[in-house]
Amino acid sequence: MEETNRLWTKGFILDTLVNFLIYIIYYMLMVIIASEAMTDLHASLSEAGLASGIFILGTLLARIFAGRSVELYGRKRMLYAGIVFYLITTFMYFGIHSLWMLYLVRCLNGIGYGIASTATSTIVSAMIPAARRGEGINYYALSMSLAAAIGPFIGMVLQQMISFQYIIWFCIVMIAVCLLSVFVMDVREMELTPEHRAELEEFHIANFLEPKVAAISVVAFFVAVCYSSVLSFLASYAAALQLMTAGTLFFVVYALTITLARPVAGVLFDRKGEDFVMYPTYVCLAVGLLILSITTQSWMLLLAGVFVGLGYGTFMSNGQAICVKLVREVRIGVAVSTYFVALDLGLGVGPYLLGALQDTVGFSGIYGICGVAAAGCALLYYLLYARRRDAAGEEEMLEENISVLESDAEV
């Protein structure tokens, strides 16, 4: 029993390492690519912004198709394919001589990242014991949050020390480490029955977007829109408030909070149920955003980082745990990709939706609106997911009771 509930296996550690390195590269290049485009290719601010954002388009395209393919063609094989494509398209940065070439490479690089990250999430979700699913996914998700803090820092430091070409070589070395890790990684493949294979090979929407996780994915989209206000506008907001040092430390505080909170949240998820963890995430995110809306001093900005970390950082990993819980193992890949498509879409659409409000309500108004919206996500979670789940559970119990009564009557 102890062996079957073992979490820290070689496969779990290596898969988490691979995911960490993939995300490090993503965040490194995301924070420096715009300035490189303006410096080397003389791009305007909007053109440079597109060079950053078009990466997400490639990621979304990859996730939609990768979830199904991971189970259909093999988890380890798809992870190999994603990392190799990530490697090839990273080499392509050396040949960029125009903006259109940069856009193409960024989009293709996003596809490689999307395939690889979907595969790592599927692999780890399947190898975690069911009794420790919340705990395991929260530990795994630390690889993303730590990368979100470390990646931009490394990228900005290296940009001041070495040329862009050497930064790309650094990325290539990390991808090579990923390939080596996958080579020695033990991956439990899903053995598809003929019925399951036929089901996945059918070309219909349910094989690209999992219906059973639609409710939690819709909630994830709106939570991500709220969080996108932090990713997109915090630097400008901190500059306007003349709190640049606190603005720089915000994501460090955010990452430290997640590092401490996620393991605890995972254990509570397994022992107390998802509602015990999920409802506080909306409250914390709302509090963090509302604090940002009234921030005037550094300590307030950093306190907001704590609450935003407890909110969005905890929601993201536990939302994934819910998705895995809702589907059969053969559908884990599609479920995970559906969930991350919703998150990525929210992070991508959010800045455009919220940016349109900036001239009218200002940054503080945007954070106030997002704070109220984050609290509203708790109601959305109840209406779309928790209420229906409880109703379905009551129906199952009623059916079991009827079955027992009929069996007793026969006796």
Side-chain angles (χ1 to χ4, degrees):
M1 183 70 177
E2 184 179 346
E3 184 66 25
T4 58
N5 280 336
R6 191 169 159 227
L7 178 61
W8 294 98
T9 61
K10 182 178 77 171
F12 179 85
I13 294 170
L14 289 175
D15 190 75
T16 303
L17 171 65
V18 169
N19 193 66
F20 175 69
L21 294 177
I22 288 170
Y23 271 81
I24 281 278
I25 296 166
Y26 160 61
Y27 283 111
M28 273 182 58
L29 295 182
M30 186 64 79
V31 298
I32 67 172
I33 202 69
S35 62
E36 291 294 333
M38 288 187 286
T39 302
D40 296 342
L41 302 175
H42 310 292
S44 66
L45 183 62
S46 60
E47 289 171 334
L50 180 59
S52 293
I54 203 169
F55 185 95
I56 302 298
L57 175 61
T59 302
L60 286 172
L61 290 172
R63 289 201 192 280
I64 290 172
F65 291 96
R68 164 180 176 262
S69 301
V70 162
E71 302 297 8
L72 196 56
Y73 303 116
R75 295 165 179 169
K76 189 167 185 175
R77 185 177 299 175
M78 285 300 294
L79 182 53
Y80 266 130
I83 292 176
V84 168
F85 194 70
Y86 204 27
L87 178 63
I88 292 171
T89 54
T90 301
F91 267 111
M92 290 173 68
Y93 282 105
F94 291 125
I96 293 173
H97 300 292
S98 68
L99 268 177
W100 287 107
M101 186 63 181
L102 176 61
Y103 294 154
L104 176 63
V105 171
R106 288 292 290 165
C107 186
L108 293 175
N109 206 216
I111 290 173
Y113 161 80
I115 295 172
S117 58
T118 299
T120 54
S121 294
T122 303
I123 288 169
V124 84
S125 297
M127 69 172 55
I128 295 171
R132 303 182 69 181
R133 184 164 289 143
E135 180 187 2
I137 288 179
N138 273 277
Y139 275 121
Y140 165 79
L142 282 177
S143 63
M144 304 178 202
S145 57
L146 290 176
I150 297 170
F153 176 77
I154 294 176
M156 288 185 287
V157 169
L158 290 180
Q159 191 178 33
Q160 297 172 18
M161 297 173 57
I162 58 179
S163 68
F164 183 67
Q165 286 73 20
Y166 284 109
I167 293 175
I168 295 301
W169 277 115
F170 182 64
C171 293
I172 288 168
V173 170
M174 285 194 286
I175 298 174
V177 173
C178 291
L179 275 176
L180 181 61
S181 299
V182 175
F183 180 75
V184 298
M185 186 192 304
D186 296 323
V187 176
R188 183 167 66 86
E189 299 288 355
M190 180 69 195
E191 295 184 10
L192 297 176
T193 64
E195 292 78 12
H196 286 153
R197 182 169 293 278
E199 177 187 330
L200 287 172
E201 286 176 344
E202 290 179 13
F203 196 87
H204 54 75
I205 190 67
N207 275 340
F208 299 95
L209 298 171
E210 173 56 58
K212 289 185 178 179
V213 302
I216 192 66
S217 296
V218 169
V219 178
F221 169 81
F222 286 104
V223 170
V225 168
C226 294
Y227 178 66
S228 72
S229 64
V230 176
L231 280 182
S232 302
F233 307 128
L234 185 72
S236 300
Y237 186 45
L241 295 172
Q242 297 184 333
L243 300 175
M244 288 300 294
T245 302
T248 304
L249 292 173
F250 179 93
F251 287 104
V252 176
V253 172
Y254 171 89
L256 288 173
T257 301
I258 293 175
T259 303
L260 296 173
R262 273 185 172 161
V264 177
V267 173
L268 292 174
F269 182 99
D270 293 328
R271 295 181 181 176
K272 300 287 188 178
E274 59 255 44
D275 290 353
F276 191 85
V277 174
M278 296 301 280
Y279 283 118
T281 66
Y282 309 118
V283 175
C284 288
L285 181 58
V287 169
L289 293 171
L290 291 173
I291 291 175
L292 280 177
S293 73
I294 60 171
T295 290
T296 55
Q297 300 181 50
S298 295
W299 69 267
M300 297 176 73
L301 195 67
L302 297 180
L303 181 63
V306 173
F307 279 101
V308 171
L310 291 172
Y312 181 77
T314 308
F315 170 87
M316 186 176 71
S317 54
N318 288 284
Q320 180 183 342
I322 289 175
C323 289
V324 175
K325 180 180 176 180
L326 290 175
V327 297
R328 296 171 293 155
E329 185 176 354
V330 71
R331 304 284 299 179
I332 286 178
V334 182
V336 168
S337 69
T338 301
Y339 177 71
F340 280 104
V341 162
L343 281 176
D344 289 339
L345 194 60
L347 293 175
V349 171
Y352 294 100
L353 296 176
L354 300 173
L357 302 173
Q358 202 275 329
D359 290 337
T360 306
V361 300
F363 288 125
S364 62
I366 288 174
Y367 287 118
I369 291 169
C370 288
V372 174
C377 287
L379 178 61
L380 196 64
Y381 172 83
Y382 170 74
L383 293 175
L384 294 183
Y385 174 70
R387 185 177 63 168
R388 295 182 180 183
R389 177 206 60 205
D390 295 341
E394 289 175 3
E395 287 178 9
E396 286 182 12
M397 288 179 63
L398 183 60
E399 288 176 3
E400 288 179 7
N401 290 336
I402 291 173
S403 177
V404 170
L405 289 173
E406 287 176 347
S407 299
D408 290 343
E410 290 176 4
V411 173

